[in-house]
Amino acid sequence: MGEVNKALKLLMVLLLLLASLCFVGVKGYVEELQDEEVVKERGGDEGEGGRRGLFMLGKAKKVVKTAGGEVRVVSGLRWKGEPNPMHIGFISMEPNTLFIPQYIDSDLVLFVKSGEAKVGWIYKDKMVEKHLKKGDVNVISAGSAFYIVNTGEGQKLHVICSIDTSESIGHGPYESFFVGGGRYPTSVLAGFNTRTLTAAFNISSEELAMLMRSQRSGPIIYMNSEQMDQSKKSYIDDDDDDDNVDDDEDDVEDEDGTAFSWRKMLGGGGGDRTRETEMGRVRAPHAYNLYAEKPSFENSYGWSIAIDEHDYAPLKHTGVGVYLVNLTAGSMMAPHLNPQATEYGVVLCGSGTVQVVFPNGSTAMSAAVEEGDVFWVPRYFPFCQAASRRSGPMEFFGFTTSARRNRPQFLVGASSVLRSMRGPELAAAFDVGEEQLKEMVRAQRAGVILPYSADQEDKKGEGEVDDMHGGFIIV
């Protein structure tokens, strides 16, 4: 009898273990979200009014904050399909401010949401500068020293950037190594002893102390009018060149007339300047403006543009793609999947809904989104975005984790997988007649970006959720 009880107990344990594995089978797609506390932190719990969801990223955390501006970072999630998650950074700078020279342990893909900027960085061992405006995309490689100046007249600068973590060395979203600095932030040069630095600079210890101890305003500082004027005068950019992939960029010559000049550190002094000019000028790609280029797709319901390494060569070295979508009020991006990459999105304006589906056909998320929200969609997971009818167009920008051509697969619509595969096999799969399937699949004449049917809304009622699939109604 005792042996029978032991066997029953063992069987019960095995059944409980099997049940637990089945439960984790679906939830296990996102390893970090298996923790109940992390789910609540990420907003996956219905305690926040049900507006957040499993694939909504948490609130941005401030990593830099000064009187001149701030840097906030939304951390991506590490999961089985993406061991090195992408972080999304938000740089905000007041007028006449400088994000001081530094290099970081991650590739940066910059997108100017609003404002204008002058960005200087080391490219192929030379100093280059670019003028960036709204819609521009620019790449700065990991380990390349760079700085950003807000050159917009009386306007704030807002930049969104991808932060690649594949080569990150720290536990934070990224690690900054400040080239310029003083007491705050501290320059990496401060770690060397006085004898080493005085010999390296060929200056006195008094001059060294003045250089290394003056700055105490933080990573984003205000520049006075004289410094701003000198910065603008020293700027050279070949905007007349139509080639936006491999255009010419002159070496930027030093302007030594200001106390505020880091070009000596980054690019060499007077003798080196002449020698570099004689050796030839460095070529640096232009920024790629998403608003200036023809959309990849456009119809009456919206437009979208996606660029990869074939459109903008610098993306090849980052392994990151970029996209921008504008949906008119009440329209939707057709249900689709990304076969090549995980997607991260930031809502730039408007509001709407993002829906993501698990591989087993159950709803993973149906979340309301608005300006400033950040969402992500794992590779292969079906999803769609829809703009609210009440708040005007919804525009969202984002990054993908591959610079290769993505070729998204649309599941519904005029140019869709179902339209291409319609036939006896698909009809049998749905257990409907072939003619009936053909009629339903061809009912939607639009493709990629679709209209929202008012008739369906009248039947469902405003704000009602589809009981069959946990879907959404655009309100």
Side-chain angles (χ1 to χ4, degrees), residues 322-401:
V322 175
Y323 70 90
L324 177 66
V325 177
N326 185 291
L327 303 177
T328 61
S331 65
M332 64 182 292
M333 182 73 77
H336 62 289
L337 63 100
N338 289 323
Q340 296 290 343
T342 293
E343 177 175 315
Y344 293 80
V346 180
V347 180
L348 301 181
C349 65
S351 63
T353 311
V354 176
Q355 185 170 3
V356 185
V357 176
F358 280 126
N360 65 1
S362 64
T363 300
M365 182 185 80
S366 183
V369 294
E370 60 187 14
E371 182 176 345
D373 281 340
V374 183
F375 62 89
W376 69 293
V377 183
R379 184 180 181 183
Y380 305 125
F381 280 43
F383 68 105
C384 65
Q385 304 97 338
S388 170
R389 293 190 299 110
R390 296 176 177 173
S391 59
M394 182 173 78
E395 188 168 280
F396 52 96
F397 160 86
F399 305 98
T400 60
T401 58

Side-chain angles (χ1 to χ4, degrees), residues 28 61 84 116 129 132 393:
K61 296 182 179 179
N84 298 304
E116 297 182 9
E129 288 179 324
L132 303 184

Side-chain angles (χ1 to χ4, degrees), residues 308-309 312-320 403:
D308 52 39
E309 62 188 18
Y312 189 46
L315 292 177
K316 180 178 182 180
H317 306 290
T318 67
V320 173

Side-chain angles (χ1 to χ4, degrees), residues 107-109 123-124 139-142 164 166-167 246 285 308-309 312-320 403:
D107 289 327
L108 290 178
V109 180
Y123 179 79
K124 294 184 178 179
V139 172
I140 298 175
S141 299
D164 174 31
S166 60
E167 297 181 1
D246 281 320
D308 52 39
E309 62 188 18
Y312 189 46
L315 292 177
K316 180 178 182 180
H317 306 290
T318 67
V320 173

Side-chain angles (χ1 to χ4, degrees), residues 11 63 86 88 100 173 209 257 291 366 374 390 395 402 450 458:
L11 180 60
V63 295
M86 179 186 295
I88 307 298
I100 71 175
Y291 292 110
S366 183
V374 183
R390 296 176 177 173
E395 188 168 280
S402 174
L450 312 178
D458 292 340

